[in-house]
């Protein structure tokens, strides 16, 4: 009989994440949107040639994938699972030393509201998740207390439909439906999965949140503050 593999070999993945330039590129891609090699080179503070080499390693390691649009090539994280790994490492990593007023402002914006790959995170994400649970719009299944497996209630399906999110369509996505991940800054859970992504995309689309200059940061609009309170009982500071 063959031997069973009892442990995962995570050393190659750890080696990919151990380089500062590659870590900066992966952090930039947590925005959820594809970025060109030049944009990633600037985010990492390296030359185009060096960035190309790093991206080659990330591609070979299965951390990123290429999106082609005409003659252009863009890079994005391979999956939401990769984003969760990066966020998890961020929680046990020391914070970046703030050396300028701009860095201080950027850090505050990310703390308040940001995207975690494709779903809402930060203070806003945590408050939104708590409002959905507290309001009976989602409920935890048997594994809800561990890594999060959640179902939408009839009430939730109606409320989500009210802002244009079709839960039946969301279920068709080839990824986990609804779970949670521990927020990097808040140390409390926010909603992830296909449901978290669909709700976040819709809230941006209808102008409840706006993307800012700071990568990944989101700004709550007046319309969004009213909408979150009226539709989900979620009150956030503007």
């Amino acid at each position: 009989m063959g031997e069973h593999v009892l442990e995962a070999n995570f050393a190659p993945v750890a080696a990919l994440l151990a380089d500062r330039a590659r870590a900066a590129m992966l952090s930039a891609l947590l925005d959820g949107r594809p970025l060109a090699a030049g944009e990633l080179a600037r985010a990492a503070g390296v030359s185009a040639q060096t960035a190309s080499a790093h991206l080659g390693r990330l591609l070979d390691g299965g951390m990123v994938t290429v999106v082609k649009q005409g003659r252009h090539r863009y890079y994005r994280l391979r999956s939401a699972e990769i984003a969760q790994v990066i966020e998890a490492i961020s929680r046990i990593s020391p914070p970046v030393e703030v050396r300028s007023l701009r860095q201080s402002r950027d850090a505050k914006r990310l703390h308040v509201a940001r995207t975690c790959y494709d779903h809402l995170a930060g203070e806003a994400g945590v408050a939104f998740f708590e409002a959905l649970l507290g309001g009976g719009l989602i409920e935890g299944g048997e594994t809800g207390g561990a890594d999060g497996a959640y179902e939408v209630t009839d009430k939730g399906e109606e409320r989500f439909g009210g802002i244009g999110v079709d839960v039946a369509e969301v279920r068709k996505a080839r990824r986990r439906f609804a779970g949670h991940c521990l927020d990097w800054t808040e140390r409390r859970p926010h909603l992830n999965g296909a449901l978290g992504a669909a709700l976040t995309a819709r809230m941006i689309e209808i102008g409840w949140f706006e993307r800012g200059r700071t990568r990944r940061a989101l700004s709550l609009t007046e319309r969004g503050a009213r909408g979150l309170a009226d539709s989900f009982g979620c009150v956030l500071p503007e």
Side-chain angles (χ1 to χ4, degrees):
M1 295 178 64
E3 294 183 1
H4 293 288
V5 178
L6 300 178
E7 297 181 357
N9 180 16
F10 59 82
V13 174
L16 285 173
L17 297 172
D19 182 89
R20 286 182 179 274
R22 290 195 291 273
M25 290 178 176
L26 292 171
S27 294
L29 291 172
L30 278 175
D31 180 77
R33 293 174 290 183
L35 296 175
E39 295 174 290
L40 291 169
R42 287 192 292 275
V46 297
S47 67
Q49 183 177 3
T50 300
S52 179
H54 284 308
L55 287 168
R57 291 195 61 181
L58 291 173
L59 278 168
D60 291 342
M63 303 292 287
V64 302
T65 187
V66 173
V67 178
K68 295 182 180 179
Q69 294 183 3
R71 297 169 56 187
H72 303 285
R73 288 162 55 94
Y74 298 90
Y75 296 84
R76 69 183 311 161
L77 295 181
R78 186 170 184 176
S79 67
E81 187 176 34
I82 301 298
Q84 290 179 30
V85 169
I86 299 170
E87 281 269 321
I89 292 175
S90 297
R91 292 196 300 270
I92 61 173
S93 302
V96 175
E97 184 179 352
V98 174
R99 299 185 178 183
S100 69
L101 179 59
R102 178 179 177 181
Q103 284 182 316
S104 177
R105 289 172 176 168
D106 287 350
K108 183 176 181 180
R109 292 188 185 104
L110 291 173
H111 181 86
V112 173
R114 67 180 185 276
T115 51
C116 173
Y117 188 52
D118 58 4
H119 52 271
L120 184 64
E123 290 179 352
V126 167
F128 183 55
F129 178 70
E130 291 177 347
L132 298 184
L133 270 178
L137 306 186
I138 61 173
E139 57 187 11
E142 294 181 1
T143 59
D147 57 357
Y150 298 88
E151 281 298 328
V152 176
T153 63
D154 291 341
K155 179 180 178 182
E157 190 163 348
E158 179 182 351
R159 294 288 180 85
F160 298 153
I163 67 166
V165 174
D166 187 334
V167 174
E169 284 298 314
V170 175
R171 290 186 188 281
K172 296 177 182 178
R174 298 180 62 181
R175 61 185 289 190
R176 186 180 192 183
F177 173 64
H180 75 240
C181 50
L182 192 62
D183 196 272
W184 158 48
T185 56
E186 300 306 297
R187 302 297 195 272
R188 290 183 290 161
H190 61 242
L191 183 68
N192 65 16
L195 180 63
L199 288 169
T200 302
R202 184 56 179 163
M203 289 191 288
I204 294 173
E205 183 180 5
I206 61 179
W208 288 14
F209 287 93
E210 295 178 344
R211 295 186 185 273
R213 294 181 182 178
T214 303
R215 200 180 302 279
R216 297 181 61 196
L218 297 175
S219 297
L220 176 68
T221 65
E222 291 185 10
R223 179 181 180 183
R226 292 193 301 270
L228 284 169
D230 293 343
S231 297
F232 305 118
C234 178
V235 179
L236 299 175
E238 296 185 44

